[in-house]
């Protein structure tokens, strides 16, 4: 399963790679990373219909996670990827907005990796 | 006879005008003697069958009186009168001298001498009469002046009364203004205080947001490092290394893993503080709901009590409730207000537990009965909630800071110092109410929540 992680913090890449080391090694998950909303859209354009799941932060400089979500829902009406939004603790306004725009799920920071792993494994 | 009249009236006049009895007691005696003497001389004159030479007895007496009256400054004011007598004395003395030296001349012009003497005598009385009249006018003027003075004095008194009245009014006004100024000052202080709290709250939430992301990385990376250590140990077991080296490597990895766990543990601690801080910004969000505040307070009182009992089995306290059943349902933010209750009750139970512990150290805690009380009251569209305890109380410098974020008197790790600052935020910003505190060090503390009751 190909997963695109969108976050402006570059350390997120090594964190995911270490947290999902076993799954990556056994080819259950394949992670790609984008460090901004724009970069994520570029990636999606270059790799059409590959990405199954997008994990995106909401608070990012430039294009925000919400805008990214909006664009994806407009640009990929058919065969839509699953989108999981990640926000800071306790931001219920953003949560409601994201859900309204068609987010499939919602995670709060700090990300509970055990729960995330379970959710992802269920999707396979 | 005319001698006597002149002397007698002159002396009498002096006596009366100068009021010698009161003003000049020294001269009064002498004047009295002079009067007696003049009467005595008159009597002697008639007893001796009116001899001609008797004039020579009168002359020195009269000259002495004149001389005395003229020489002494005390009689300066009546010098005019004294002078009026001089012609008479001069004429009579001249008459006597002429009679003695030239009796024939005297006999020839006796009638002229008599006439001159009479005129001089009459002059004395005419002058006296006018003097008397003048005196009367002066006296009247003086009386007028005294009356005027009295009138002006009365006027002055009434003016003074008016001034005193005005002064009193002004003093009252001044006091009122001073009171208003003091009230304004205290309102200003309250405003400054609440502004401070609000900006501190914002700052706190802002800082928390900023800290949260890096802190998440610290926690996540330390956690994943622990997992990596476990994997590393597994890989080492698979390798061909001698056992002694394996165990040495295991030891190092064990320490490394332990360090990572410590980082995770303290990171989680920091995380819980950050979460507390973030509740500040969440305080005023959420929906107002109709809630039975009495039940809410009661629930959180028991929750806080059993929370503390779970940590400290020996602890106990009386729970006193005094609820106003007429409150009914009130529109509040139930979760937020519940958090306020939880904070206030936790603090109250902590205070009574601390007092009991301190008294136990000095063996005088046997008759101390810990008590935490909640009371509610509805009055004039306002809901008054009191949470009081008979615990340790607070000194003034502590009381001044309790609503500031991160201020705590509890030992490190037991309190974040955010409970009361958040409660303050919830009550004031979230509910538009007030939260204040009354305390007596060593005796009691009472937190007072006042909430407006919206329809």
């Amino acid at each position: 399963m190909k997963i695109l992680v969108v976050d402006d913090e570059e350390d997120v890449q090594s964190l995911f790679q270490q947290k999902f080391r076993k799954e990556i090694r056994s080819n259950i998950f394949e992670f790609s990373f984008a460090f901004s909303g724009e970069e994520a859209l570029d990636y999606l354009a270059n790799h059409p219909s590959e990405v199954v799941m997008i994990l995106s932060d909401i608070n990012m400089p430039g294009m925000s996670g919400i805008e990214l979500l909006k664009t994806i829902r407009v640009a990929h009406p058919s065969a839509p990827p699953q989108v999981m939004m990640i926000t800071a603790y306790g931001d219920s306004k953003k949560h409601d907005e994201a859900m309204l725009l068609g987010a499939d799920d919602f995670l709060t920071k700090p990300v509970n990796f055990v729960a995330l792993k379970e959710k992802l494994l269920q999707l396979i | 006879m005319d001698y006597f009249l002149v002397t007698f009236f002159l002396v009498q006049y002096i006596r009366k005008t100068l009021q010698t009895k009161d003003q000049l007691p020294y001269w009064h005696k002498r004047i009295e003697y002079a009067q007696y003497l003049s009467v005595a001389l008159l009597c002697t004159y008639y007893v001796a069958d009116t001899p001609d030479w008797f004039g020579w007895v009168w002359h020195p007496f009269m000259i002495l009186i004149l001389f005395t009256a003229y020489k002494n400054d005390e009689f300066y004011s009546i010098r005019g009168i004294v002078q009026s007598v001089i012609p008479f004395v001069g004429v009579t003395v001249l008459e006597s001298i002429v009679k003695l030296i030239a009796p024939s001349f005297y006999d020839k012009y006796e009638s002229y001498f008599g006439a001159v003497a009479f005129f001089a005598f009459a002059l004395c009385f005419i002058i006296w009469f006018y003097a008397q009249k003048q005196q009367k006018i002066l006296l009247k003027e003086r009386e007028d002046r005294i009356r005027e003075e009295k009138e002006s004095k009365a006027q002055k008194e009434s003016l003074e009364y008016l001034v005193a009245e005005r002064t009193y009014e002004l003093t009252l006004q001044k006091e009122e203004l001073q009171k208003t100024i003091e009230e304004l000052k205290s309102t200003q202080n309250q405003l400054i205080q609440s502004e401070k709290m609000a900006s501190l709250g914002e700052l706190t939430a802002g800082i928390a947001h900023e800290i949260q992301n890096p802190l998440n990385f610290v926690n996540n990376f330390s956690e994943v490092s622990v997992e990596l250590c476990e994997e590393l140990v597994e890989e080492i077991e698979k390798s061909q290394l001698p056992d002694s080296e394996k165990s040495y490597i295991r030891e190092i990895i064990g320490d490394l893993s332990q360090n990572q766990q410590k980082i995770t543990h303290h990171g989680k601690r920091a995380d819980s503080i950050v979460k507390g801080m973030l509740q500040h910004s969440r305080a005023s969000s959420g929906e107002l709901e109709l809630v039975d505040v009495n039940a809410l307070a009661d629930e959180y009182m028991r929750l806080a009590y059993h929370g503390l009992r779970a940590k400290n089995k020996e602890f106990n306290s009386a729970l006193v409730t005094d609820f106003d059943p007429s409150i009914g349902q009130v529109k509040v933010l139930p979760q937020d207000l519940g958090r306020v209750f939880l904070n206030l009750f936790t603090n109250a139970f902590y205070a009574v537990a601390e007092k009991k512990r301190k008294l136990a150290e000095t063996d005088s805690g046997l008759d101390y009965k810990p008590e935490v009380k909640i009371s509610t009251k509805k009055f004039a569209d306002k809901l008054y909630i009191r949470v009081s305890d008979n615990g340790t109380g607070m000194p003034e410098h502590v009381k001044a800071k309790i609503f500031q974020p991160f201020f705590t008197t509890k030992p490190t790790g037991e309190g974040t110092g955010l409970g009361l600052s958040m409660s303050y935020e919830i009550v004031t910003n979230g509910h538009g109410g007030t939260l204040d505190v009354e305390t007596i060090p060593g005796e009691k503390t009472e937190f007072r929540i006042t909430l407006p009751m919206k329809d």
Side-chain angles (χ1 to χ4, degrees):
Chain A
M1 183 165 76
K2 196 153 187 180
I3 299 164
L4 175 65
V5 179
V6 189
D7 200 312
D8 58 312
E9 297 268 9
E10 299 195 4
D11 279 344
V12 164
Q13 182 170 1
S14 56
L15 183 64
F16 270 80
Q17 279 166 350
Q18 289 182 33
K19 280 279 182 188
F20 293 98
R21 175 187 301 278
K22 280 179 191 164
E23 287 77 8
I24 292 167
R25 272 182 75 178
S26 50
N27 278 325
I28 300 173
F29 297 142
E30 189 190 341
F31 282 98
S32 316
F33 296 89
F35 302 114
S36 71
E38 292 85 347
E39 214 177 297
L41 288 178
D42 284 348
Y43 185 88
L44 287 175
N46 294 333
H47 306 80
S49 305
E50 276 181 32
V51 176
V52 181
M53 162 70 76
I54 296 171
L55 286 175
S56 175
D57 188 18
I58 287 183
N59 285 323
M60 288 184 292
M63 182 182 267
S64 77
I66 297 282
E67 284 168 62
L68 176 66
L69 174 63
K70 253 192 242 175
T71 320
I72 290 169
R73 284 290 173 252
V74 174
H76 304 269
S78 58
Q82 296 246 356
V83 180
M84 247 188 227
M85 304 304 287
I86 306 169
T87 60
Y89 168 83
D91 199 339
S92 55
K93 231 188 251 171
K94 291 261 169 70
H95 172 267
D96 296 345
E97 199 182 346
M99 285 313 225
L100 213 73
L101 285 167
D104 294 287
D105 208 339
F106 200 79
L107 298 171
T108 52
K109 282 182 176 179
V111 175
N112 183 340
F113 281 94
V114 178
L116 176 62
K117 202 179 281 183
E118 273 172 21
K119 271 184 187 175
L120 293 177
L121 287 172
Q122 270 177 4
L123 288 171
I124 295 170
Chain B
M1 182 62 195
D2 41 2
Y3 286 110
F4 169 71
L5 286 175
V6 169
T7 42
F8 188 81
F9 280 109
L10 178 65
V11 170
Q12 187 64 24
Y13 183 83
I14 292 170
R15 226 179 113 172
K16 251 180 85 178
T17 353
L18 294 182
Q19 290 179 323
T20 49
K21 198 175 178 183
D22 300 323
Q23 307 292 331
L24 306 161
Y26 171 79
W27 287 108
H28 185 66
K29 275 234 171 102
R30 276 153 184 77
I31 285 163
E32 269 183 343
Y33 290 149
Q35 265 183 322
Y36 297 146
L37 195 59
S38 67
V39 174
L41 284 174
L42 182 71
C43 295
T44 321
Y45 177 61
Y46 284 107
V47 168
D49 207 8
T50 63
D52 276 350
W53 56 265
F54 206 77
W56 290 105
V57 181
W58 280 109
H59 294 322
F61 176 58
M62 291 235 23
I63 289 163
L64 181 67
I65 289 174
L66 281 182
F67 188 74
T68 313
Y70 216 83
K71 259 298 187 219
N72 290 291
D73 288 338
E74 287 92 334
F75 303 107
Y76 185 80
S77 58
I78 49 148
R79 190 160 284 181
I81 301 300
V82 175
Q83 277 167 345
S84 72
V85 182
I86 292 171
F88 173 74
V89 175
V91 167
T92 46
V93 171
L94 189 71
E95 195 187 349
S96 295
I97 291 170
V98 170
K99 205 174 174 181
L100 190 72
I101 298 169
S104 57
F105 180 80
Y106 178 78
D107 286 341
K108 197 172 171 185
Y109 297 100
E110 195 189 351
S111 54
Y112 292 103
F113 276 110
V116 171
F118 177 74
F119 279 129
F121 178 70
L123 187 71
C124 289
F125 282 92
I126 287 165
I127 290 171
W128 285 357
F129 177 72
Y130 276 106
Q132 206 79 24
K133 220 173 155 188
Q134 204 102 33
Q135 196 77 26
K136 266 186 191 156
I137 291 166
L138 276 174
L139 207 72
K140 209 183 157 216
E141 267 176 17
R142 198 184 298 159
E143 271 171 12
D144 282 351
R145 212 165 39 234
I146 287 169
R147 207 174 46 241
E148 270 169 27
E149 253 170 40
K150 262 185 195 163
E151 272 170 19
S152 73
K153 204 176 163 190
Q155 222 165 6
K156 203 177 130 196
E157 267 171 16
S158 75
L159 273 175
E160 259 167 21
Y161 175 75
L162 269 180
V163 168
E165 210 174 32
R166 290 282 150 77
T167 312
Y168 178 68
E169 274 170 28
L170 282 174
T171 314
L172 278 185
Q173 273 178 345
K174 192 194 128 206
E175 272 165 17
E176 223 168 281
L177 281 174
Q178 233 158 12
K179 224 173 95 188
T180 315
I181 287 174
E182 265 158 37
E183 274 169 22
L184 277 174
K185 264 188 194 158
S186 84
T187 313
Q188 193 187 27
N189 281 345
Q190 275 174 4
L191 270 176
I192 290 172
Q193 184 65 15
S194 65
E195 256 327 288
K196 242 192 213 167
M197 301 304 301
S199 53
L200 264 175
E202 272 169 38
L203 190 68
T204 307
I207 292 170
H209 267 292
E210 291 306 310
I211 291 175
Q212 204 181 32
N213 274 334
L215 191 59
N216 285 343
F217 278 116
V218 170
N219 288 336
N220 284 326
F221 277 113
S222 62
E223 263 172 22
V224 83
S225 297
V226 174
E227 287 164 26
L228 288 178
C229 288
E230 282 164 16
E231 278 175 46
L232 192 57
V233 171
E234 281 167 28
E235 293 304 314
I236 300 266
E237 292 303 328
K238 285 182 207 159
S239 73
Q240 303 300 313
L241 289 167
D243 279 355
S244 63
E245 275 184 39
K246 272 187 190 171
S247 80
Y248 181 58
I249 293 171
R250 266 206 303 274
E251 202 184 308
I252 295 173
I253 294 172
D255 282 353
L256 200 59
S257 172
Q258 222 167 42
N259 291 351
Q260 297 300 337
Q261 277 166 12
K262 287 218 165 83
I263 293 172
T264 311
H265 170 72
H266 293 289
K268 287 268 153 70
R269 246 180 84 191
D271 192 55
S272 76
I273 294 169
V274 167
K275 282 216 171 70
M277 288 160 78
L278 281 172
Q279 281 177 341
H280 266 287
S281 60
R282 282 208 334 143
S284 48
S285 69
E287 294 286 317
L288 287 166
E289 285 173 39
L290 279 171
V291 170
D292 181 350
V293 173
N294 290 344
L296 191 74
D298 197 51
E299 182 191 330
Y300 278 98
M301 189 184 204
R302 272 154 230 293
L303 199 68
Y305 181 61
H306 294 298
L308 200 64
R309 286 267 293 180
K311 277 189 235 160
N312 180 1
K313 287 267 181 327
E314 283 166 34
F315 173 72
N316 66 69
S317 163
L319 311 183
V320 183
T321 57
D322 174 18
F323 291 131
D324 179 356
S326 73
I327 294 171
Q329 304 253 311
V330 185
K331 261 196 175 176
V332 293
L333 305 163
Q335 274 195 347
D336 291 348
L337 195 62
R339 215 180 289 146
V340 173
F341 281 134
L342 191 64
N343 279 322
L344 294 185
F345 286 125
T346 306
N347 286 344
F349 288 124
Y350 183 82
V352 292
E354 275 294 294
K355 187 168 173 180
K356 191 163 188 180
R357 189 179 61 79
K358 277 182 189 163
L359 287 175
E361 279 171 11
T362 57
D363 287 335
S364 57
L366 293 171
D367 53 348
Y368 173 62
K369 301 246 180 307
E371 185 184 297
V372 172
K373 187 178 170 185
I374 167 85
S375 72
T376 56
K377 187 83 200 150
K378 183 187 171 182
F379 179 73
D381 276 343
K382 275 189 177 161
L383 175 56
Y384 296 89
I385 304 168
R386 305 261 181 279
V387 176
S388 53
D389 66 74
N390 60 350
T392 47
M394 289 175 280
E396 194 56 39
H397 68 274
V398 171
K399 186 190 158 192
K401 286 185 184 165
I402 51 168
F403 295 122
Q404 287 178 11
F406 304 113
F407 179 79
T408 181
T409 56
K410 291 177 186 171
T412 316
E414 281 193 45
T416 57
L418 288 168
L420 280 177
S421 89
M422 200 173 61
S423 301
Y424 185 89
E425 175 86 14
I426 290 169
V427 172
T428 55
N429 283 352
H431 292 84
T434 59
L435 173 61
D436 48 20
V437 65
E438 192 95 333
T439 178
I440 301 170
E443 281 185 33
K444 63 171 196 168
T445 302
E446 182 175 273
F447 282 90
R448 300 170 174 180
I449 303 171
T450 311
L451 297 179
M453 288 182 76
K454 292 159 197 157
D455 293 325

